[in-house]
């Protein structure tokens, strides 16, 4: 691996010093160079077998238990006589977590004494980088099972629940209502409730702890005031998260209490530290003062939140009204379109029927015209078949035909002409609207039907003259 540039060297050197606790930059530089400036390998060679050290051991000053775990390159550097005095024990897992990037900033809320950045040890980018830095990643040549695990959210909640149970067992049920969840969850709870977060870091071995817990923290006055006005979180410094918070809040004296509030960019504003034993009266005065000073900030935050909620609700109501109006408009448009389609269908149906009727009328007129033309041809043909009307004579028969309308027609025929000739004569006149008829004589009544059409007038007894009338049959 090529030598990194100066900025990369400085960053890796600073991280290596913070994680290992080695103060001599020359030793750190040699160790990193011996591992090809691979920060993960260098840290892993220094801390791999001590990754399971507990937080309580770190608080009690317990070290790594020797340097048998160092690889040959690191051992050679640390075993030099001039370095023995400066050699530092390998840090425990708790120390690794605490030395992740934590920024301390000065705050200015008028009443804020300091703002402590928690650095979000669980934040994505820092977490993934820090895992590799402190030897908890899955780097090449590392045994994953020997790598220590960061405290998970469930583990932090488990520590909080265990602390509450132990505290209640030792000091009774009259106490602040410590929440059974991790610090960050408790901080979020206080933000949501628009309250300050009361933090108590418990040092079980400190001589002032029992008296402070029994007479001050668990007094009815303090317990009731804290429960009414604060969200409370407690942790033992022998547990991982409690030890982590003691470093973040820079606790130097116990008993230790603090009042914090959520700030921006995943940071907390440290409003008050209470270090060392205090009476219930002294603690009450301090908490009342902090509460009074922070009240405008909390009220402003509550009002801002309410305004945001009102704005959200107003937007939702406006959106709902807009959606309702839009749906009503769409329903009206759909109804108008359906009505228009119905009218178009009815108009199309009416037009179709009109065309059908017109076609039927045209067809009927055409058929009627055809029938009339056929009748006209038929009458013309029959009129032509009759020939010229004969003059009067002994062999000429005078025939009178009366129609149902009262109309009378008369004509002379040869006595040898057939009855069919009479029918042809009637047909040629075009005086009948009906197709079926018979020629009938009254006295005596004789119907000259189809069976007599071939008889001559003389044979039928109609010579020398005959009077017939038309009798309709249909």
């Amino acid at each position: 691996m090529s030598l990194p540039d100066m900025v990369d060297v400085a960053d890796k050197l600073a991280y290596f010093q913070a994680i290992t606790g080695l103060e001599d930059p020359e030793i750190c530089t040699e160790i990193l160079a011996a591992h090809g400036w691979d920060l993960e390998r260098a840290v892993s060679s220094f801390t791999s077998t001590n990754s399971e050290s507990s937080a309580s051991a770190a608080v009690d000053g317990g070290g790594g238990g020797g340097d048998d775990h160092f690889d040959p390159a690191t051992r050679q550097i640390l075993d030099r006589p001039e370095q023995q005095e400066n050699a530092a024990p390998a840090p425990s897992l708790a120390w690794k977590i605490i030395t992740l990037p934590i920024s301390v900033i000065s705050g200015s809320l008028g009443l804020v004494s300091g703002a402590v950045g928690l650095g979000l040890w669980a934040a994505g980018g820092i977490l993934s980088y820090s895992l590799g830095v402190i030897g908890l990643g899955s780097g090449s040549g590392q045994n994953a099972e020997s790598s220590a695990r960061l405290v998970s959210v469930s583990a932090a909640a488990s520590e909080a629940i265990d602390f509450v149970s132990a505290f209640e067992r030792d000091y009774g049920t009259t106490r602040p209502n410590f929440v059974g969840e991790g610090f960050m969850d408790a901080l979020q709870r206080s933000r949501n409730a628009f309250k300050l977060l009361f933090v108590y870091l418990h040092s079980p071995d400190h001589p002032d702890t029992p008296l402070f817990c029994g007479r001050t923290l668990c007094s009815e006055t303090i317990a009731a005031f804290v429960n009414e006005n604060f969200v409370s979180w407690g942790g033992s410094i022998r547990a991982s998260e409690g030890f982590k918070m003691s470093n973040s809040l820079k606790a130097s004296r116990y008993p230790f209490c603090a009042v914090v509030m959520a700030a921006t960019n995943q940071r907390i504003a440290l409003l008050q530290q209470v270090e060392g034993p205090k009476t219930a009266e002294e603690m009450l005065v301090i908490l009342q003062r902090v509460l009074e000073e922070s009240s405008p900030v909390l009220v402003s935050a509550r009002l801002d939140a309410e305004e945001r909620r009102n704005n959200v609700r107003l937007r939702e109501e406006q959106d709902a009204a807009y959606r309702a109006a839009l749906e009503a408009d769409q329903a009206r448009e759909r109804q108008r379109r359906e009505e228009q389609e119905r009218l178009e269908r009815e108009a199309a149906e009416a037009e179709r029927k009109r065309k059908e009727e017109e076609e039927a009328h045209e067809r009927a007129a055409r058929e009627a015209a055809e029938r009339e033309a056929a009748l006209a041809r038929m009458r013309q043909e029959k009129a032509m078949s009759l020939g010229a009307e004969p003059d009067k004579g002994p062999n000429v028969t005078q025939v009178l035909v009366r129609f149902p309308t009262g109309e009378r027609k008369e004509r002379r025929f040869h006595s040898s002409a057939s009855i069919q000739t009479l029918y042809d004569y009637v047909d040629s006149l075009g005086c009948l609207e009906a197709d079926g008829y018979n020629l009938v004589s009254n006295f005596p009544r004789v119907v000259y039907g189809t069976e007599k059409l071939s008889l001559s007038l003389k044979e039928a007894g109609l010579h020398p003259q005959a009077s017939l009338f038309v009798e309709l049959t249909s």
Side-chain angles (χ1 to χ4, degrees):
M1 176 178 178
S2 61
L3 187 64
D5 57 33
M6 295 304 295
V7 176
D8 193 27
V9 167
D11 289 343
K12 291 187 177 181
L13 183 60
Y15 271 106
F16 188 79
Q17 284 182 291
I19 294 170
T20 61
L22 293 176
E23 298 181 357
D24 192 330
E26 294 183 1
I27 296 178
C28 296
T29 300
E30 291 187 34
I31 294 175
L32 284 168
H35 292 86
W37 287 92
D38 188 328
L39 185 58
E40 182 177 344
R41 287 177 52 205
V43 172
S44 178
S45 71
F46 198 86
T47 63
S48 59
T49 60
N50 262 3
S51 60
E52 296 180 358
S53 299
S54 66
S56 61
V59 175
D60 293 339
D67 60 357
D68 295 340
H69 57 286
F70 298 141
D71 66 4
T74 305
R75 174 188 287 275
Q76 183 177 2
I77 296 171
L78 295 178
D79 283 351
R80 292 200 301 242
E82 65 272 18
Q83 305 301 345
Q84 291 298 317
E85 295 179 359
N86 296 328
S92 65
L93 174 61
W95 175 249
K96 294 179 189 178
I97 298 174
I98 296 305
T99 53
L100 293 179
I102 296 177
S103 59
V104 179
I105 63 171
S106 58
S108 176
L109 292 175
L111 53 96
V112 180
S113 61
V116 181
L118 295 183
L120 270 189
W121 57 84
I126 296 178
L127 173 61
S128 58
Y129 180 71
S130 301
L131 283 171
V133 168
I134 64 177
L136 299 183
S138 56
S140 59
Q142 300 298 318
N143 188 340
E145 294 182 355
S146 66
S147 298
R149 306 294 182 190
L150 284 178
V151 179
S152 64
V153 174
S154 59
S158 177
E159 286 183 5
I161 294 172
D162 292 343
F163 165 75
V164 174
S165 177
F167 191 92
E168 186 174 295
R169 183 182 64 247
D170 294 339
Y171 300 105
T173 56
T174 303
R175 56 172 178 79
N177 294 329
F178 299 113
V179 295
E181 55 193 20
F183 176 81
M184 292 303 294
D185 292 332
L187 187 66
Q188 185 60 42
R189 180 187 292 269
S190 69
R191 178 197 288 269
N192 295 338
F194 301 102
K195 291 185 176 182
L196 303 179
L197 180 63
F198 177 80
V199 178
Y200 170 62
L201 298 179
H202 186 67
S203 178
D205 296 330
H206 198 282
D208 293 330
T209 295
L211 188 62
F212 175 78
C213 291
R215 295 187 178 181
T216 300
L217 202 57
C218 293
S219 68
E220 292 185 1
T221 302
I222 296 299
F225 186 79
V226 170
N227 293 336
E228 176 67 22
N229 299 287
F230 298 86
V231 173
S232 303
W233 181 85
S236 172
I237 62 173
R238 287 190 172 275
S240 176
E241 192 165 33
F243 179 64
K244 187 190 317 180
M245 292 309 304
S246 70
N247 281 273
S248 296
L249 298 175
K250 300 190 181 303
S252 59
R253 187 180 176 192
Y254 294 91
F256 179 89
C257 299
V259 178
V260 302
M261 69 181 296
T264 58
N265 298 327
Q266 303 296 342
R267 301 183 176 202
I268 61 172
L270 177 60
L271 306 182
Q272 183 67 52
Q273 285 179 309
V274 182
E275 297 183 296
K278 295 289 187 292
T279 65
E281 292 76 13
E282 292 173 333
M283 179 66 74
L284 185 61
V285 170
I286 294 172
L287 294 179
Q288 285 177 333
R289 177 179 55 79
V290 174
L291 194 62
E292 291 174 358
E293 291 177 347
S294 61
S295 179
V297 177
L298 296 176
V299 170
S300 177
R302 182 181 292 107
L303 292 177
D304 289 343
E306 290 178 356
E307 183 178 2
R308 287 193 298 271
R309 284 196 298 270
N310 290 335
N311 290 337
V312 170
R313 184 170 61 253
L314 179 60
R315 284 196 299 272
E316 290 176 348
E317 291 174 353
Q318 291 174 341
D319 292 343
Y322 172 76
R323 286 194 298 271
L326 181 61
E327 290 174 357
D329 291 342
Q330 291 174 344
R332 285 193 295 270
E333 176 63 21
R334 185 168 54 252
Q335 185 176 3
R336 185 195 65 78
R337 189 168 56 251
E338 291 174 353
E339 179 67 14
Q340 182 178 357
E341 292 174 354
R342 183 185 65 81
L343 293 176
E344 290 176 354
R345 286 195 302 271
E346 291 178 353
E349 181 66 16
E351 179 66 14
R352 184 185 63 80
K353 289 182 178 180
R354 185 187 65 80
K355 287 183 178 180
E356 289 180 353
E357 290 176 356
E358 287 182 354
E359 291 175 357
H361 291 159
E362 290 177 358
R363 186 169 54 254
R366 186 171 57 253
E367 291 175 354
E370 291 175 353
R371 284 197 301 273
E372 184 64 26
L375 289 174
R377 286 194 302 271
M378 184 266 298
R379 287 195 295 268
Q380 184 178 7
E381 291 173 356
K382 288 189 176 183
M384 292 177 64
S385 66
L386 293 176
E389 183 177 4
D391 296 330
K392 292 180 180 181
N395 295 323
V396 175
T397 303
Q398 186 75 31
V399 177
L400 175 67
V401 179
R402 290 177 293 181
F403 291 88
T405 59
E407 187 176 0
R408 298 159 63 94
K409 295 292 184 180
E410 188 174 1
R411 189 183 190 281
R412 294 184 296 275
F413 297 89
H414 292 287
S415 60
S416 59
S418 65
I419 298 297
Q420 179 64 53
T421 304
L422 297 180
Y423 276 93
D424 292 341
Y425 169 67
V426 172
D427 291 339
S428 68
L429 295 176
C431 298
L432 292 177
E433 297 293 335
D435 294 332
Y437 68 94
N438 287 323
L439 294 176
V440 180
S441 62
N442 279 332
F443 302 106
R445 175 179 172 82
V446 178
V447 176
Y448 299 95
T450 55
E451 71 281 2
K452 296 181 178 182
L453 293 180
S454 60
L455 294 177
S456 66
L457 298 180
K458 191 174 186 176
E459 291 172 344
L462 297 178
H463 183 72
Q465 60 181 11
S467 179
L468 299 174
F469 67 90
V470 176
E471 182 180 73
L472 301 178
T473 60
S474 59

